[in-house]
Amino acid sequence: MLINAALIGLGSVNRNLLTILAKKAEELRRDHGIGFRIILVADSRGVAADPGGFDPAGLVAHKAAGGSTADLPGYRGAVPVESLLDGVDLVFEASPVDLRTGGPGLALARAALGRGISVVLANKGPVVLAFRELHEAAARSGARLKYSATVCGGLPVLNIGRRDMIAGEIRTLRGVFNATTNFILDQMATGVAYGDALAEAQRRGIAEADPSLDVEGWDTANKLLIIANSLLGADIALADIAVTGIAGVTQESLAAEAARGNVIRLVASAEAGRYAVAPLALPATDFLAQCRGWEMAVEMHTDIYGISYHKLWEREPTPTAASMLRDAVHIFAGAEGV
């Protein structure tokens, strides 16, 4: 089966996805009977379309050399992608997150799902702002909407909860979902000032130039919202989550908790209909306290599956890109997942 795909965004996630598609083409054909042909590419310069398909490795090399869609054959200018969806079976959407309006990613998801075109998201914005709407649109048209890459990159939190806990109830969920805050807290615990730790996170590429979503707790809250609405039967918005970031955490408070045998982590929690993100002092033996640096983790307490613990070390976008591929294979090769 050959799937005609549109690739939205040529940032690090989709460039890694292209690399995976190039390297794993044979495995995808052999193990899943599936292939992907990229017939449309969009970035900040506009859209390029070629019914014959773009070479994935060639696109990566083109971008690495400083190129953009404006330099590709079939360049159509800065037109809405939704006007060029004829012949597209699947949209890989990894454009920048816009949590105020959803940006072009939300508009594209609406248009694609409305036309029966399946969508795989790495962009959290559409499902944070329009979770129910997009699922209803997919149900009406028969398209599929998948977004496991929006939560903790390669850690298959949504797949575990939806696919592997059949008939189970997740009664309590806790997680550390943001590597930037993890890194900063670890650095501060060694005596590095908050500002210096943040600057180092930015220098290493962990934190964005504007790190407010991370350090103020909103990135974690976005992920908690997606998990709650996907796995816990919730129907919540960001306003339903109590959010506190790490700006109030000091070296003194970290040292004081360390003297008590505790570690401070930015923890997302869901229990009994209450949702929160806040820095918590955890015993050093706690599973989440042992989530360090580049790691993210989730802990699920269930009625029939016991307590499960899952952790991921992710320093680069490759696992996030791999999650997008996993979602696409689940859609077209008949595997179950979220």
Side-chain angles (χ1 to χ4, degrees):
M1 180 188 305
L2 186 60
I3 306 304
N4 288 331
L7 193 83
I8 312 305
L10 278 174
S12 58
V13 172
N14 268 347
R15 291 200 304 273
N16 275 272
L17 175 60
L18 288 167
T19 298
I20 294 170
L21 291 175
K23 289 183 176 179
K24 298 291 186 177
E26 178 55 35
E27 287 91 333
L28 289 168
R29 284 192 295 268
R30 182 189 66 221
D31 298 337
H32 303 285
I34 197 169
F36 296 92
R37 178 166 57 196
I38 306 300
I39 66 169
L40 187 150
V41 182
D43 67 5
S44 60
R45 295 287 302 277
V47 186
D50 182 350
F54 296 97
D55 172 55
L59 285 174
V60 174
H62 178 72
K63 190 68 176 179
S68 72
T69 54
D71 312 308
L72 293 173
Y75 179 62
R76 305 295 180 85
V79 299
V81 176
E82 48 266 40
S83 67
L84 297 173
L85 291 177
D86 288 347
V88 171
D89 305 308
L90 172 69
V91 173
F92 286 113
E93 217 291 337
S95 65
V97 176
D98 181 338
L99 292 170
R100 291 183 298 274
T101 68
L106 177 53
L108 176 57
R110 284 172 171 151
L113 293 171
R115 293 181 55 175
I117 299 168
S118 293
V119 176
V120 168
L121 296 169
N123 177 358
K124 290 183 285 291
V127 279
V128 167
L129 297 176
F131 186 91
R132 180 189 289 184
E133 175 197 341
L134 294 179
H135 280 82
E136 290 174 347
R140 284 193 301 269
S141 70
R144 302 290 295 279
L145 170 66
K146 291 186 178 291
Y147 46 90
S148 68
T150 65
V151 177
C152 300
L155 188 64
V157 177
L158 301 181
N159 297 60
I160 291 165
R162 285 284 290 274
R163 182 195 61 207
D164 298 327
M165 293 185 175
I166 293 172
E169 177 188 355
I170 300 172
R171 292 177 169 170
T172 302
L173 182 142
R174 302 191 310 151
V176 172
F177 299 152
N178 186 272
T180 297
T181 55
N182 237 22
F183 176 85
I184 291 171
L185 291 171
D186 276 353
Q187 290 288 297
M188 290 176 65
T190 67
V192 178
Y194 171 82
D196 293 337
L198 174 57
E200 179 63 14
Q202 291 171 315
R203 187 189 71 78
R204 295 191 186 193
I206 311 169
E208 300 293 338
D210 177 6
S212 57
L213 283 178
D214 296 322
V215 299
E216 293 176 8
W218 292 108
D219 176 71
T220 297
N222 292 330
K223 295 168 183 174
L224 179 59
L225 180 150
I226 294 168
I227 292 170
N229 286 344
S230 298
L231 304 183
L232 307 182
D235 185 14
I236 63 171
L238 283 176
D240 299 309
I241 303 174
V243 181
T244 304
I246 65 168
V249 178
T250 64
Q251 291 173 307
E252 291 75 19
S253 60
L254 287 162
E257 290 299 340
R260 300 184 185 101
N262 295 332
V263 175
I264 294 178
R265 290 285 177 257
L266 184 66
V267 176
S269 61
E271 183 175 13
R274 295 187 297 272
Y275 308 94
V277 173
L280 298 181
L282 306 172
T285 55
D286 187 286
F287 171 66
L288 295 183
Q290 298 174 51
C291 184
R292 299 184 177 92
W294 304 94
E295 294 177 328
M296 293 178 283
V298 65
E299 172 184 324
M300 301 178 185
H301 297 239
T302 74
D303 58 345
I304 61 175
Y305 289 97
I307 302 172
S308 64
Y309 303 90
H310 309 275
K311 183 188 285 189
L312 171 76
W313 186 93
E314 181 174 318
R315 184 172 178 171
E316 57 186 15
T318 299
T320 299
S323 294
M324 296 184 76
L325 175 62
R326 176 182 63 208
D327 281 350
V329 171
H330 284 165
I331 289 172
F332 291 101
E336 290 300 321
V338 67

